[in-house]
C-alpha cells in the first residue's frame, strides 16, 4: 500500500536510529551531560571499562576491523556502528558500565559474606563488579552490532551491490557473536549462577525488545497498529531497560547485599533507562526552529502519546496531509502536528516521573559522592 | 617421544581390535582398517609429515594421539592408568571378544527413553509470548534433526553414572546438559546459515530464507540466551564455565574460517583446530559437564572429554568427506558446498599434497572461475577422500580407547558402536 520511497525513508530512519542510540547521551544538553559523566567517572577510579580494550585488541576483532574497511562507501549499518564504537566511546557507549560501578560503590562493602574481602576493592568496588560492568557493555555493544544486520531480500539494486551487504552481514554476525561469547565466558568467571541466570535473562529480554522494535518499525505496522503508551513502556523496558536494571541488581548480588538493595538497584536502573529513552525520543521535538527538521521514528514516545490522544482517525488524516507529491513524508509538517497537541508535554511528564522514581530508589543508599553522581545522572535526563 | 610410548600399544590395540571385529563378524568395520594400503601409497608418494601412515615413526604428526597432545592439547592422559577405577584397554579387548554383535546396543535405541521429551523440554525453555518469535525459535526443534549431541550426552551420562556406582536415572542436571547441547548447536546453525548465506537445511528452508537475516540473528541470540539460563539453573559454576567455553570456541572457530594459511603444515593444523572448535568442543565439553555432575575424579572427566573430542573431530572429518561424496550417487552432482564457500577441508588439503596446483586455489579461496570444478576434480583424482576417512578412523579408535577405560555398561558399548556409525554414515 505504501510506495517504495517511504520504505526507503523509514529504513533510513532505522539506520539512523542505531547512530542515535550511540550518541544519545551526548545529545541531551551536551555540556551539562558531559560534565555529569566525567565527574562520575572520576569517582569510580579508572575509566569505566576495559572491555573495549581487551576485545578490540583481540585477533578476531582486528580481523573484522580490516574487513570493515572494505565496507567504506557502502550503506551497510555496521560501518556506522563501528564508527560509533571508535569515536563515541568516551562517554556514551560505556554509560551502562559506569552506572553499574557507581551503584556498586554507593552500596558499599558486603556486610555478610566472608569470602569477599574489603581489601580487594579498588576505589570501593569489587573486582567482580568491575567485570560485570564490562560484561554489561559487551552485551550492549553486541546488540548494537546485531541490530545493524540487513535483510538481503529487501535490498534493491539501487541500494548498491548485494555482495557488500552480504559481507557486511557476515562481519556483523561474527563480531556481535564474538562480543556475546566473551560476555558468556566473562559471566561464567563470576562464579555466581544467580548472576549468570539474571544477565542471561536480560539478554533474552533485549532480544525480545529488539524483535518488537523491528516489528513496529516496519512501515505498515507503524501506521496502522498503533501501540498504546503502556505497551510502549513495556517494550521499551525490554529493549532499553532490562539490561541496565538487571546488571544493577546483579552488582548487588555479587557483593551479597540483601534482596531489598537488589530491588532498589534494579528500580534505579529501570527508571533511569526509561527516562533516558524518553529524553532521546523527545530531542527532535525540543529543538527550536532553524535548519533541517530531524527525522524521528513513528514509535518515538511523543508520537505514541500523540496518537493515543488524537485517535487513529485523526492521526491517519495528519499522515495524509504530511505526504508530499512524491508520496514522501514531510517530517516538519508531521512534527508541527505532533507539537500542536499534548503528546510532547505528556512525554516530558513521563520522563520526569521516571527521573523521580530513579532518584527515589537511590535515596535508600547511604549518602556518598557515588550516590550524588547517580542523583546527578538521574536529574540530567530531564534536561533538554 | 610421546609417539614412541604410544605407537606400540596403540597399534597393538588396533590389530587386536581388527581381529576381534573379524571374529565377531563386524565386517563393515574391518574394511575401515585396511589402512595398510593407504599408508603404503602415502609413503611411496612421499607425503608431508601429517599424512603419515600408521606406525610410521618418522612422520608422526597425523596421529590423532599426537594431535591430542600438542595441537588440540587439553591434557590427554596417555600414560597407562592402572587406577582401580579405570579399565585398561586390554580388558576391554577381552570383554569385547565376549560380546556378540547383537549385544552391542544400538545407540539410538538405547538413548531413546531419555530423549523422548527432549524437544518438548527445549520448546518450554524457549517460551516467549510473541508468536512469531516463538515459531522462529522452535523451527529447527521439529524432531527431524538427528539429535546426535543429546544422544551422546545421555549415553555418556549413564555410562558415567554406572562407572561411578550411581544407580538409577539420569541426574536432572545431566538431562539439562543434553538439552543445552542441542540448543547451543541449533543457535550456531541459525547464525552460520546467515553467515554462509544458505537457504536450505535439513530439507527445508533456512530461518534466514523464510524470515530474513535480521530476525534470524535475533532468533539465534534468543536460543542462546535461553540455553544460558537453563545452564545457570543447573547451579554448578564449573559446568557453567565448561559450557561457556563452547560458545567461545564456536565463534573463534567461525573466525578461523575467514583466513587461509600459506604454509601447508600450518594449514592442516589450522583446519584441525577449527574442526575442534566448531564441532568437537561442544561434544567434548558436554560430555565433561555430565561427568562433573556425577563424579569428582578429574581423570574420569578427562575420559569423557577425550571421547567427545575424538568422536567430534571424526564426525566433522566424515562430514567434510560427505561434502564430496554424498549426492554424487543420488543426484549425479556433488554438493561441494564447502568449496563454494571458499573452504579447504580435509580432502582438499590431502589432495593438495598430490596436486600442488591446488595451493593457489586454496589461497584465493576457490574464487576464480572454474576453481570449484577443478578443485573438485583434483580431489577425486587424489586419495584425499580415503586419507580423510582414514584420519577419521584413527580419531574413532582413540575415542574407543578412551571410553573403554570406563566400567562396562550397555551405554558404554553403545558409545563404542556409535563410532562405527559415525564412520559409516552416508548422510
Amino acid at each position: 500500500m505504501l510506495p517504495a520511497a517511504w520504505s526507503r525513508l523509514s529504513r533510513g530512519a532505522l539506520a539512523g536510529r542505531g547512530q542515535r542510540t550511540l550518541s544519545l547521551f551526548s545529545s541531551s544538553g551536551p555540556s551539562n551531560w558531559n560534565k555529569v559523566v566525567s565527574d562520575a567517572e572520576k569517582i569510580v577510579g579508572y575509566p569505566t571499562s576495559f572491555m573495549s580494550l581487551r576485545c578490540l585488541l583481540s585477533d578476531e576483532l582486528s580481523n573484522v576491523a580490516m574487513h570493515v574497511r572494505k565496507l567504506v562507501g557502502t550503506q551497510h549499518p555496521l560501518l556506522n556502528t563501528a564508527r560509533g564504537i571508535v569515536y563515541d566511546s568516551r562517554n556514551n557507549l560505556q554509560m551502562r558500565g559506569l552506572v553499574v560501578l557507581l551503584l556498586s560503590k554507593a552500596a558499599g562493602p558486603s556486610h555478610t559474606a566472608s569470602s569477599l574481602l574489603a581489601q580487594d576493592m579498588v576505589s570501593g568496588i569489587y573486582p567482580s563488579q568491575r567485570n560485570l560492568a564490562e560484561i554489561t557493555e559487551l552485551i550492549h555493544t553486541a546488540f548494537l552490532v546485531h541490530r545493524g544486520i540487513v535483510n538481503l531480500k529487501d535490498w534493491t539494486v539501487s541500494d548498491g551491490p548485494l555482495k557488500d551487504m552480504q559481507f557486511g552481514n557476515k562481519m556483523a554476525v561474527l563480531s556481535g557473536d564474538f562480543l556475546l561469547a566473551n560476555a558468556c565466558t566473562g559471566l561464567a568467571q563470576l562464579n555466581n549462577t544467580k548472576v549468570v541466570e539474571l544477565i542471561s535473562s536480560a539478554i533474552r529480554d533485549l532480544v525480545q525488545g529488539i524483535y518488537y522494535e523491528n516489528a513496529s518499525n516496519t512501515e505498515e505496522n507503524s501506521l496502522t497498529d498503533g501501540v498504546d503508551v503502556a505497551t510502549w513502556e513495556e517494550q521499551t523496558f525490554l529493549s532499553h531497560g532490562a539490561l541496565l536494571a538487571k546488571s544493577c541488581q546483579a552488582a548487588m548480588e555479587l557483593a551479597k547485599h540483601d534482596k531489598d538493595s537488589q530491588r532498589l538497584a534494579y528500580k534505579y536502573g529501570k527508571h533511569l533507562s526509561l527516562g533516558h529513552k524518553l529524553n532521546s525520543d523527545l530531542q527532535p521535538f525540543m529543538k527550536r526552529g532553524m535548519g533541517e527538521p530531524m527525522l524521528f521514528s513513528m514509535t518515538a514516545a511523543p508520537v505514541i502519546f500523540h496518537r493515543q490522544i488524537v485517535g487513529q482517525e485523526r492521526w491517519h488524516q495528519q499522515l495524509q496531509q504530511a505526504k508530499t507529491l512524491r508520496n514522501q513524508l514531510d517530517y516538519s509538517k508531521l512534527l508541527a502536528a505532533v507539537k500542536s497537541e499534548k503528546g510532547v508535554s505528556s512525554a516530558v511528564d513521563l520522563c520526569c516521573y521516571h527521573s523521580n522514581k530513579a532518584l527515589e530508589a537511590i535515596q535508600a543508599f547511604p549518602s556518598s559522592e557515588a550516590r550524588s553522581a547517580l542523583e546527578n545522572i538521574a536529574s540530567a535526563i530531564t534536561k533538554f | 617421544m610421546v609417539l614412541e610410548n604410544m605407537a606400540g600399544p596403540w597399534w597393538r590395540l588396533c590389530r587386536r581390535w581388527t581381529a576381534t571385529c573379524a571374529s565377531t563378524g563386524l565386517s563393515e568395520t574391518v574394511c575401515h582398517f585396511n589402512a595398510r594400503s593407504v599408508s603404503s601409497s602415502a609413503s611411496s608418494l612421499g607425503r608431508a609429515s601429517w599424512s603419515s601412515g600408521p606406525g610410521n615413526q618418522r612422520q608422526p604428526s597425523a596421529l590423532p594421539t599426537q594431535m591430542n597432545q600438542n595441537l588440540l592439547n587439553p591434557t590427554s592422559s596417555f600414560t597407562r592408568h592402572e587406577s582401580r577405577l579405570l579399565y585398561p584397554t586390554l580388558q576391554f579387548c577381552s570383554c569385547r571378544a565376549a560380546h556378540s554383535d547383537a549385544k552391542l546396543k544400538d545407540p539410538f535405541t538405547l538413548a531413546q527413553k531419555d530423549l523422548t521429551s527432549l524437544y518438548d523440554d527445549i520448546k518450554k525453555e524457549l517460551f516467549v509470548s510473541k508468536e512469531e518469535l516463538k515459531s522462529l525459535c522452535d523451527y529447527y526443534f521439529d524432531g527431524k534433526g538427528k539429535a546426535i549431541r543429546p544422544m551422546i550426552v545421555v549415553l555418556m551420562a549413564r555410562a558415567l553414572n554406572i562407572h561411578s556406582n550411581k544407580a538409577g536415572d539420569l541426574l536432572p542436571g545431566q538431562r539439562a546438559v543434553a538439552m543445552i547441547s542441542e540448543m547451543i548447536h541449533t543457535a550456531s546453525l541459525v547464525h552460520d546459515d546467515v553467515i554462509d548465506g544458505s537457504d536450505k537445511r535439513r530439507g527445508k528452508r533456512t530461518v534466514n530464507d523464510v524470515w530474513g537475516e535480521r530476525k534470524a540473528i535475533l532468533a539465534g541470540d534468543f536460543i542462546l540466551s535461553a540455553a544460558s539460563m537453563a545452564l545457570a539453573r543447573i547451579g554448578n559454576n564449573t559446568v557453567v564455565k565448561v559450557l561457556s567455553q563452547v560458545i567461545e570456541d564456536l565463534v573463534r572457530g567461525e573466525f578461523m574460517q575467514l583466513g587461509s594459511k600459506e604454509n601447508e603444515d600450518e594449514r592442516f593444523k589450522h583446519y584441525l583446530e577449527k574442526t575442534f572448535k566448531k564441532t568437537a568442543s561442544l561434544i567434548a565439553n558436554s560430555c565433561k559437564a555430565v561427568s562433573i555432575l556425577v563424579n569428582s575424579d578429574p581423570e574420569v572427566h578427562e575420559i569423557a572429554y577425550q571421547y567427545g573430542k575424538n568422536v567430534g573431530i571424526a564426525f566433522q572429518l566424515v562430514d567434510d568427506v560427505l561434502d564430496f561424496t554424498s549426492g554424487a550417487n543420488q543426484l549425479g552432482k556433488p554438493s561441494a558446498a564447502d568449496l563454494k564457500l571458499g573452504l579447504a577441508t580435509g580432502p582438499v588439503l590431502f589432495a593438495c599434497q598430490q596436486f600442488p596446483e591446488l595451493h593457489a586455489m586454496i589461497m584465493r579461496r576457490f574464487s576464480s572461475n572454474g576453481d570449484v570444478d577443478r578443485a573438485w576434480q583434483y580431489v577425486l583424482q587424489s586419495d584425499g577422500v580415503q586419507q580423510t576417512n582414514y584420519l577419521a578412523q584413527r580419531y574413532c579408535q582413540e575415542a574407543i580407547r578412551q571410553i573403554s577405560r570406563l566400567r562396562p555398561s550397555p551405554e558404554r558399548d553403545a558409545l563404542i558402536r556409535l563410532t562405527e556409525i559415525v564412520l559409516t554414515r552416508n548422510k
Side-chain angles (χ1 to χ4, degrees):
Chain A
M1 131 185 179
L2 281 149
W6 161 244
S7 107
R8 180 115 347 106
L9 235 183
S10 78
R11 200 166 49 228
L14 257 184
R17 278 172 71 80
Q19 236 180 322
R20 266 223 312 283
T21 326
L22 283 168
S23 55
L24 80 206
F25 268 106
S26 56
S27 61
S28 49
S31 54
N32 177 43
W33 180 261
N34 284 350
K35 189 165 181 331
V36 168
V37 170
S38 62
D39 287 352
E41 280 189 333
K42 283 174 208 146
I43 294 168
V44 295
Y46 44 86
T48 312
S49 95
F50 287 122
M51 85 90 188
S52 340
L53 217 50
R54 201 187 54 220
C55 271
L56 290 175
L57 293 180
S58 67
D59 285 351
E60 282 78 6
L61 286 197
S62 341
N63 210 340
V64 169
M66 287 215 332
H67 287 296
V68 165
R69 286 192 305 195
K70 291 184 207 154
L71 292 173
V72 172
T74 73
Q75 294 186 46
H76 201 284
L78 179 60
L79 209 59
N80 271 332
T81 312
R83 240 179 232 139
I85 290 170
V86 178
Y87 292 111
D88 285 3
S89 61
R90 234 193 108 233
N91 317 328
N92 306 317
L93 266 178
Q94 308 196 341
M95 201 42 229
R96 285 152 199 84
L98 178 62
V99 170
V100 169
L101 293 180
L102 286 170
L103 257 172
S104 301
K105 185 162 182 171
S110 171
H111 301 299
T112 49
S114 51
S115 57
L116 294 167
L117 300 171
Q119 63 258 36
D120 289 338
M121 293 176 116
V122 178
S123 305
I125 299 161
Y126 290 110
S128 61
Q129 294 172 318
R130 286 193 190 272
N131 292 337
L132 175 70
E134 277 186 31
I135 291 164
T136 306
E137 287 302 336
L138 279 175
I139 295 168
H140 174 71
T141 313
F143 282 97
L144 282 184
V145 175
H146 275 180
R147 268 180 163 113
I149 305 277
V150 173
N151 275 340
L152 297 175
K153 281 182 183 167
D154 298 346
W155 207 251
T156 60
V157 189
S158 60
D159 293 320
L162 185 69
K163 242 181 94 186
D164 291 341
M165 289 302 122
Q166 278 169 331
F167 185 74
N169 271 358
K170 188 172 174 170
M171 290 299 118
V173 176
L174 279 174
S175 37
D177 282 355
F178 181 76
L179 295 170
L180 267 186
N182 274 277
C184 283
T185 43
L187 271 178
Q189 296 301 325
L190 295 177
N191 277 322
N192 184 322
T193 54
K194 270 190 209 155
V195 170
V196 176
E197 188 177 353
L198 193 59
I199 301 298
S200 303
S201 78
I203 298 177
R204 188 201 54 188
D205 293 344
L206 195 47
V207 175
Q208 242 176 297
I210 298 172
Y211 200 93
Y212 291 136
E213 185 181 274
N214 283 348
S216 50
N217 268 319
T218 56
E219 52 275 23
E220 317 89 73
N221 292 352
S222 69
L223 294 176
T224 52
D225 332 324
V227 291
D228 56 18
V229 174
T231 316
W232 179 89
E233 271 200 287
E234 233 169 74
Q235 297 185 357
T236 304
F237 172 70
L238 292 175
S239 59
H240 288 79
L243 178 60
L244 185 59
K246 290 181 174 175
S247 292
C248 289
Q249 182 186 344
M252 300 300 104
E253 161 65 29
L254 284 173
K256 299 291 168 211
H257 290 303
D258 60 13
K259 286 272 172 275
D260 222 33
S261 315
Q262 292 187 27
R263 191 180 50 78
L264 290 166
Y266 175 96
K267 224 175 135 196
Y268 178 84
K270 172 184 163 175
H271 290 292
L272 181 73
S273 314
L274 287 172
H276 166 240
K277 176 70 166 83
L278 281 154
N279 180 299
S280 71
D281 275 10
L282 275 161
Q283 287 304 317
F285 301 87
M286 306 307 266
K287 293 246 164 65
R288 273 158 256 276
M290 301 189 310
E292 285 281 295
M294 282 172 85
L295 291 182
F296 53 90
S297 161
M298 291 299 130
T299 54
V303 183
I304 301 292
F305 269 109
H306 176 75
R307 290 166 66 168
Q308 195 170 304
I309 292 164
V310 302
Q312 282 301 75
E313 212 171 303
R314 270 274 312 280
W315 169 244
H316 280 201
Q317 280 171 8
Q318 289 176 335
L319 267 179
Q320 284 305 321
Q321 285 159 7
K323 279 211 181 117
T324 63
L325 288 175
R326 275 188 240 135
N327 236 337
Q328 291 190 329
L329 267 184
D330 180 345
Y331 273 82
S332 48
K333 226 177 206 174
L334 208 55
L335 189 86
V338 174
K339 273 171 131 177
S340 67
E341 298 279 347
K342 291 252 179 291
V344 175
S345 61
S346 305
V348 172
D349 289 348
L350 188 61
C351 182
C352 292
Y353 166 81
H354 284 300
S355 167
N356 285 331
K357 279 290 190 187
L359 285 168
E360 195 182 295
I362 205 70
Q363 292 315 309
F365 293 89
S367 168
S368 67
E369 55 174 357
R371 196 187 79 177
S372 311
L374 289 166
E375 288 165 358
N376 292 341
I377 290 174
S379 304
I381 55 173
T382 60
K383 307 285 186 303
F384 295 95
Chain B
M1 296 309 94
V2 176
L3 186 81
E4 274 166 62
N5 293 334
M6 273 320 304
W10 190 72
W11 276 102
R12 251 197 326 274
L13 164 69
C14 184
R15 275 198 288 276
R16 289 193 68 132
W17 200 57
T18 311
T20 313
C21 292
S23 67
T24 53
L26 281 173
S27 54
E28 80 217 275
T29 36
V30 178
C31 69
H32 289 292
F33 286 90
N34 47 19
R36 285 278 160 216
S37 60
V38 178
S39 94
S40 59
S41 78
S43 44
S44 69
L45 284 164
R47 288 293 145 71
S49 57
W50 41 263
S51 63
S52 68
N56 187 337
Q57 301 205 2
R58 283 171 310 156
Q59 303 179 339
S61 54
L63 285 169
T65 48
Q66 217 237 345
M67 285 161 194
N68 292 338
Q69 291 271 311
N70 296 340
L71 180 57
L72 306 170
N73 67 64
T75 58
S76 149
S77 31
F78 281 103
T79 45
R80 298 249 207 95
H81 297 281
E82 306 298 344
S83 147
R84 266 164 295 132
L85 262 177
L86 305 170
Y87 284 71
T89 31
L90 281 176
Q91 197 172 333
F92 148 65
C93 285
S94 54
C95 86
R96 270 300 299 272
H99 275 265
S100 79
D101 189 8
K103 275 191 188 157
L104 263 190
K105 279 290 184 62
D106 172 46
F108 292 93
T109 319
L110 199 56
Q112 187 83 56
K113 61 178 182 297
D114 289 323
L115 298 178
T116 42
S117 68
L118 178 81
Y119 289 112
D120 288 336
D121 292 347
I122 290 177
K123 286 177 187 167
K124 273 181 212 147
E125 292 294 331
L126 292 173
F127 179 77
V128 52
S129 56
K130 179 113 183 153
E131 258 177 56
E132 191 191 50
L133 179 56
K134 176 84 182 123
S135 52
L136 257 89
C137 291
D138 288 353
Y139 189 66
Y140 286 131
F141 301 111
D142 55 1
K144 296 198 178 101
K146 290 186 291 278
I148 196 141
R149 289 158 187 83
M151 179 183 78
I152 294 175
V153 173
V154 297
L155 291 175
M156 179 62 82
R158 284 189 179 270
L160 288 165
N161 292 356
I162 291 167
H163 183 80
S164 318
N165 289 321
K166 299 269 179 6
D169 230 355
L170 285 182
L171 302 169
Q174 292 176 324
R175 192 182 294 278
V177 171
M179 183 180 76
I180 291 161
S181 70
E182 188 70 1
M183 291 170 79
I184 294 177
H185 170 63
T186 306
S188 82
L189 289 186
V190 174
H191 281 200
D192 284 359
D193 284 342
V194 174
I195 291 171
D196 298 340
S198 317
D199 53 6
K200 282 273 181 325
R201 176 175 293 278
R202 294 180 188 161
K204 60 185 194 180
R205 294 169 69 195
T206 54
V207 175
N208 44 300
D209 195 58
V210 180
W211 287 282
E213 285 75 9
R214 291 174 69 89
K215 286 177 178 173
I217 292 307
L218 292 175
D221 289 342
F222 192 91
I223 296 169
L224 189 67
S225 67
S228 182
M229 285 175 73
L231 176 58
R233 280 199 298 268
I234 295 174
N236 182 313
N237 281 314
T238 314
V239 169
V240 172
K241 281 181 202 151
V242 163
L243 288 176
S244 301
Q245 184 59 45
V246 172
I247 296 167
E248 194 180 315
D249 284 344
L250 283 170
V251 182
R252 288 188 188 272
E254 200 60 43
F255 267 99
M256 291 180 78
Q257 284 193 351
L258 289 178
S260 313
K261 290 265 182 265
E262 180 73 38
N263 175 291
E264 287 183 10
D265 279 350
E266 245 178 71
R267 196 185 284 158
F268 206 83
K269 235 196 229 172
H270 188 84
Y271 165 66
L272 286 174
E273 200 185 327
K274 183 213 80 182
T275 302
F276 169 74
K277 290 196 152 88
K278 279 209 70 181
T279 312
S281 171
L282 174 56
I283 303 174
N285 283 302
S286 303
C287 286
K288 186 174 173 180
V290 291
S291 179
I292 291 166
L293 288 168
V294 69
N295 199 301
S296 57
D297 183 355
E299 228 171 286
V300 175
H301 304 164
E302 190 59 22
I303 293 172
Y305 180 91
Q306 289 296 333
Y307 174 84
K309 182 177 92 176
N310 284 284
V311 162
I313 293 175
F315 184 85
Q316 188 58 49
L317 288 170
V318 171
D319 217 55
D320 292 345
V321 163
L322 290 175
D323 196 46
F324 285 93
T325 56
S326 89
N329 303 329
Q330 297 114 304
L331 304 168
K333 200 169 170 279
S335 47
D338 291 330
L339 286 179
K340 287 174 194 157
L341 289 171
L343 303 178
T345 57
V348 184
L349 296 179
F350 278 115
C352 186
Q353 289 300 299
Q354 240 166 313
F355 301 102
E357 299 91 322
L358 276 165
H359 177 77
M361 289 189 237
I362 293 172
M363 289 315 291
R364 62 174 181 255
R365 302 175 68 85
F366 314 104
S367 57
S368 293
N369 250 343
D371 273 2
V372 170
D373 285 339
R374 250 176 299 155
W376 168 260
Q377 287 304 327
Y378 280 130
V379 169
L380 290 197
Q381 284 165 39
S382 74
D383 56 5
V385 163
Q386 293 97 298
Q387 292 266 4
T388 311
N389 270 330
Y390 174 59
L391 191 58
Q393 286 159 31
R394 305 188 78 173
Y395 278 104
C396 280
Q397 287 157 12
E398 176 58 17
I400 292 168
R401 195 183 72 83
Q402 293 286 345
I403 195 74
S404 301
R405 292 161 60 204
L406 295 182
R407 186 171 295 176
S409 64
E411 285 82 6
R412 187 199 71 168
D413 292 347
L415 287 170
I416 293 170
R417 168 86 179 105
L418 182 75
T419 62
E420 295 163 20
I421 296 171
V422 164
L423 291 173
T424 53
R425 75 200 175 99
N426 51 20
K427 55 170 262 186

